[in-house]
mmCIF file of all heavy atoms in Angstrom:
data_model
loop_
_atom_site.group_PDB
_atom_site.id
_atom_site.type_symbol
_atom_site.label_atom_id
_atom_site.label_comp_id
_atom_site.label_asym_id
_atom_site.label_seq_id
_atom_site.Cartn_x
_atom_site.Cartn_y
_atom_site.Cartn_z
ATOM 1 N N ASN A 220 17.300 -5.617 1.479
ATOM 2 C CA ASN A 220 18.674 -5.772 0.881
ATOM 3 C C ASN A 220 19.126 -4.498 0.179
ATOM 4 O O ASN A 220 20.211 -4.413 -0.286
ATOM 5 C CB ASN A 220 18.652 -6.894 -0.109
ATOM 6 C CG ASN A 220 18.670 -8.275 0.616
ATOM 7 O OD1 ASN A 220 19.128 -8.414 1.758
ATOM 8 N ND2 ASN A 220 18.061 -9.289 -0.028
ATOM 9 N N ASN A 221 18.243 -3.513 0.059
ATOM 10 C CA ASN A 221 18.591 -2.156 -0.602
ATOM 11 C C ASN A 221 19.187 -1.272 0.496
ATOM 12 O O ASN A 221 19.182 -1.506 1.754
ATOM 13 C CB ASN A 221 17.391 -1.581 -1.208
ATOM 14 C CG ASN A 221 17.014 -2.341 -2.416
ATOM 15 O OD1 ASN A 221 17.834 -2.916 -3.131
ATOM 16 N ND2 ASN A 221 15.753 -2.322 -2.760
ATOM 17 N N ASP A 222 19.753 -0.180 0.085
ATOM 18 C CA ASP A 222 20.244 0.850 0.905
ATOM 19 C C ASP A 222 19.054 1.466 1.706
ATOM 20 O O ASP A 222 18.154 1.987 1.152
ATOM 21 C CB ASP A 222 20.920 2.029 0.171
ATOM 22 C CG ASP A 222 21.447 3.094 1.028
ATOM 23 O OD1 ASP A 222 22.458 2.940 1.679
ATOM 24 O OD2 ASP A 222 20.760 4.216 1.095
ATOM 25 N N GLN A 223 19.032 1.332 3.048
ATOM 26 C CA GLN A 223 17.863 1.646 3.837
ATOM 27 C C GLN A 223 17.608 3.211 3.881
ATOM 28 O O GLN A 223 16.485 3.654 4.004
ATOM 29 C CB GLN A 223 17.961 1.090 5.206
ATOM 30 C CG GLN A 223 17.718 -0.445 5.232
ATOM 31 C CD GLN A 223 16.484 -0.811 4.464
ATOM 32 O OE1 GLN A 223 15.369 -0.563 4.964
ATOM 33 N NE2 GLN A 223 16.554 -1.467 3.363
ATOM 34 N N ARG A 224 18.655 3.977 3.841
ATOM 35 C CA ARG A 224 18.490 5.419 3.799
ATOM 36 C C ARG A 224 17.720 5.791 2.519
ATOM 37 O O ARG A 224 16.837 6.634 2.550
ATOM 38 C CB ARG A 224 19.814 6.161 3.840
ATOM 39 C CG ARG A 224 20.572 6.037 5.177
ATOM 40 C CD ARG A 224 21.917 6.521 5.059
ATOM 41 N NE ARG A 224 22.702 5.838 4.048
ATOM 42 C CZ ARG A 224 23.946 6.200 3.634
ATOM 43 N NH1 ARG A 224 24.588 7.242 4.267
ATOM 44 N NH2 ARG A 224 24.592 5.574 2.755
ATOM 45 N N GLY A 225 18.071 5.186 1.437
ATOM 46 C CA GLY A 225 17.419 5.463 0.186
ATOM 47 C C GLY A 225 15.977 4.996 0.160
ATOM 48 O O GLY A 225 15.057 5.622 -0.313
ATOM 49 N N VAL A 226 15.666 3.815 0.774
ATOM 50 C CA VAL A 226 14.329 3.255 0.894
ATOM 51 C C VAL A 226 13.457 4.232 1.629
ATOM 52 O O VAL A 226 12.393 4.565 1.253
ATOM 53 C CB VAL A 226 14.360 1.866 1.552
ATOM 54 C CG1 VAL A 226 12.978 1.397 1.965
ATOM 55 C CG2 VAL A 226 15.017 0.833 0.632
ATOM 56 N N HIS A 227 13.906 4.659 2.806
ATOM 57 C CA HIS A 227 13.157 5.579 3.625
ATOM 58 C C HIS A 227 12.896 6.891 2.958
ATOM 59 O O HIS A 227 11.787 7.413 2.979
ATOM 60 C CB HIS A 227 13.826 5.728 4.982
ATOM 61 C CG HIS A 227 13.937 4.495 5.791
ATOM 62 N ND1 HIS A 227 14.814 4.369 6.869
ATOM 63 C CD2 HIS A 227 13.331 3.311 5.731
ATOM 64 C CE1 HIS A 227 14.756 3.209 7.403
ATOM 65 N NE2 HIS A 227 13.861 2.493 6.702
ATOM 66 N N ARG A 228 13.855 7.397 2.267
ATOM 67 C CA ARG A 228 13.744 8.709 1.641
ATOM 68 C C ARG A 228 12.778 8.577 0.467
ATOM 69 O O ARG A 228 11.884 9.481 0.223
ATOM 70 C CB ARG A 228 15.104 9.238 1.163
ATOM 71 C CG ARG A 228 14.923 10.661 0.624
ATOM 72 C CD ARG A 228 14.531 11.597 1.574
ATOM 73 N NE ARG A 228 14.289 12.973 1.072
ATOM 74 C CZ ARG A 228 13.084 13.332 0.586
ATOM 75 N NH1 ARG A 228 12.036 12.513 0.576
ATOM 76 N NH2 ARG A 228 12.969 14.584 0.130
ATOM 77 N N LEU A 229 12.867 7.506 -0.332
ATOM 78 C CA LEU A 229 11.935 7.338 -1.410
ATOM 79 C C LEU A 229 10.511 7.142 -0.966
ATOM 80 O O LEU A 229 9.574 7.661 -1.537
ATOM 81 C CB LEU A 229 12.433 6.128 -2.288
ATOM 82 C CG LEU A 229 13.566 6.391 -3.279
ATOM 83 C CD1 LEU A 229 14.059 5.068 -3.889
ATOM 84 C CD2 LEU A 229 13.078 7.402 -4.420
ATOM 85 N N LEU A 230 10.347 6.409 0.101
ATOM 86 C CA LEU A 230 9.037 6.161 0.685
ATOM 87 C C LEU A 230 8.379 7.519 1.079
ATOM 88 O O LEU A 230 7.210 7.793 0.770
ATOM 89 C CB LEU A 230 9.055 5.203 1.783
ATOM 90 C CG LEU A 230 7.705 4.864 2.516
ATOM 91 C CD1 LEU A 230 6.774 4.196 1.421
ATOM 92 C CD2 LEU A 230 8.002 3.942 3.679
ATOM 93 N N ARG A 231 9.183 8.296 1.785
ATOM 94 C CA ARG A 231 8.697 9.686 2.201
ATOM 95 C C ARG A 231 8.378 10.459 1.000
ATOM 96 O O ARG A 231 7.353 11.185 0.946
ATOM 97 C CB ARG A 231 9.748 10.252 3.097
ATOM 98 C CG ARG A 231 9.217 11.579 3.795
ATOM 99 C CD ARG A 231 10.100 11.919 4.965
ATOM 100 N NE ARG A 231 11.384 12.548 4.583
ATOM 101 C CZ ARG A 231 12.583 11.946 4.624
ATOM 102 N NH1 ARG A 231 12.642 10.759 5.140
ATOM 103 N NH2 ARG A 231 13.685 12.588 4.205
ATOM 104 N N HIS A 232 9.136 10.427 -0.020
ATOM 105 C CA HIS A 232 8.985 11.191 -1.227
ATOM 106 C C HIS A 232 7.641 10.718 -1.965
ATOM 107 O O HIS A 232 6.847 11.649 -2.349
ATOM 108 C CB HIS A 232 10.126 10.894 -2.212
ATOM 109 C CG HIS A 232 9.859 11.490 -3.604
ATOM 110 N ND1 HIS A 232 9.808 12.887 -3.875
ATOM 111 C CD2 HIS A 232 9.639 10.896 -4.821
ATOM 112 C CE1 HIS A 232 9.573 13.121 -5.157
ATOM 113 N NE2 HIS A 232 9.464 11.914 -5.730
ATOM 114 N N TYR A 233 7.364 9.416 -2.060
ATOM 115 C CA TYR A 233 6.139 8.961 -2.691
ATOM 116 C C TYR A 233 4.989 9.453 -1.884
ATOM 117 O O TYR A 233 3.922 9.784 -2.571
ATOM 118 C CB TYR A 233 6.130 7.500 -2.809
ATOM 119 C CG TYR A 233 6.822 6.930 -4.056
ATOM 120 C CD1 TYR A 233 8.062 6.213 -4.029
ATOM 121 C CD2 TYR A 233 6.249 7.157 -5.345
ATOM 122 C CE1 TYR A 233 8.646 5.774 -5.163
ATOM 123 C CE2 TYR A 233 6.887 6.664 -6.492
ATOM 124 C CZ TYR A 233 8.057 6.009 -6.383
ATOM 125 O OH TYR A 233 8.617 5.545 -7.612
ATOM 126 N N ARG A 234 5.053 9.511 -0.573
ATOM 127 C CA ARG A 234 3.978 10.058 0.162
ATOM 128 C C ARG A 234 3.731 11.515 -0.042
ATOM 129 O O ARG A 234 2.596 12.020 -0.157
ATOM 130 C CB ARG A 234 4.159 9.804 1.678
ATOM 131 C CG ARG A 234 4.135 8.318 2.075
ATOM 132 C CD ARG A 234 4.596 8.151 3.545
ATOM 133 N NE ARG A 234 4.420 6.791 3.985
ATOM 134 C CZ ARG A 234 4.965 6.209 4.994
ATOM 135 N NH1 ARG A 234 5.881 6.962 5.716
ATOM 136 N NH2 ARG A 234 4.789 4.903 5.340
ATOM 137 N N GLN A 235 4.773 12.257 -0.242
ATOM 138 C CA GLN A 235 4.739 13.703 -0.569
ATOM 139 C C GLN A 235 3.988 13.929 -1.907
ATOM 140 O O GLN A 235 3.116 14.696 -2.007
ATOM 141 C CB GLN A 235 6.053 14.361 -0.561
ATOM 142 C CG GLN A 235 6.647 14.588 0.768
ATOM 143 C CD GLN A 235 7.953 15.319 0.719
ATOM 144 O OE1 GLN A 235 8.951 14.751 0.245
ATOM 145 N NE2 GLN A 235 8.001 16.540 1.073
ATOM 146 N N ILE A 236 4.488 13.181 -2.992
ATOM 147 C CA ILE A 236 3.919 13.497 -4.299
ATOM 148 C C ILE A 236 2.376 12.959 -4.352
ATOM 149 O O ILE A 236 1.666 13.484 -5.203
ATOM 150 C CB ILE A 236 4.761 12.888 -5.386
ATOM 151 C CG1 ILE A 236 4.853 11.395 -5.400
ATOM 152 C CG2 ILE A 236 6.116 13.555 -5.429
ATOM 153 C CD1 ILE A 236 5.563 10.824 -6.543
ATOM 154 N N ALA A 237 2.110 11.998 -3.523
ATOM 155 C CA ALA A 237 0.692 11.486 -3.580
ATOM 156 C C ALA A 237 -0.251 12.637 -3.121
ATOM 157 O O ALA A 237 -1.441 12.690 -3.567
ATOM 158 C CB ALA A 237 0.543 10.269 -2.656
ATOM 159 N N GLY A 238 0.263 13.510 -2.347
ATOM 160 C CA GLY A 238 -0.516 14.710 -1.919
ATOM 161 C C GLY A 238 -0.342 15.971 -2.694
ATOM 162 O O GLY A 238 -0.913 17.013 -2.276
ATOM 163 N N ALA A 239 0.464 15.893 -3.750
ATOM 164 C CA ALA A 239 0.713 17.054 -4.609
ATOM 165 C C ALA A 239 -0.541 17.419 -5.354
ATOM 166 O O ALA A 239 -1.268 16.601 -5.904
ATOM 167 C CB ALA A 239 1.927 16.811 -5.488
ATOM 168 N N ALA A 240 -0.757 18.662 -5.461
ATOM 169 C CA ALA A 240 -1.986 19.181 -6.183
ATOM 170 C C ALA A 240 -1.886 19.074 -7.678
ATOM 171 O O ALA A 240 -2.821 18.892 -8.342
ATOM 172 C CB ALA A 240 -2.285 20.624 -5.691
ATOM 173 N N THR A 241 -0.689 19.261 -8.189
ATOM 174 C CA THR A 241 -0.449 19.368 -9.608
ATOM 175 C C THR A 241 0.804 18.513 -9.994
ATOM 176 O O THR A 241 1.571 18.224 -9.147
ATOM 177 C CB THR A 241 -0.208 20.750 -10.099
ATOM 178 O OG1 THR A 241 0.963 21.285 -9.535
ATOM 179 C CG2 THR A 241 -1.350 21.723 -9.676
#
Side-chain angles (χ1 to χ4, degrees):
N220 287 333
N221 290 327
D222 177 79
Q223 289 306 292
R224 292 171 302 175
V226 167
H227 296 163
R228 185 62 186 92
L229 281 170
L230 181 60
R231 191 163 75 251
H232 170 69
Y233 273 112
R234 287 172 177 161
Q235 283 183 291
I236 62 172
T241 66

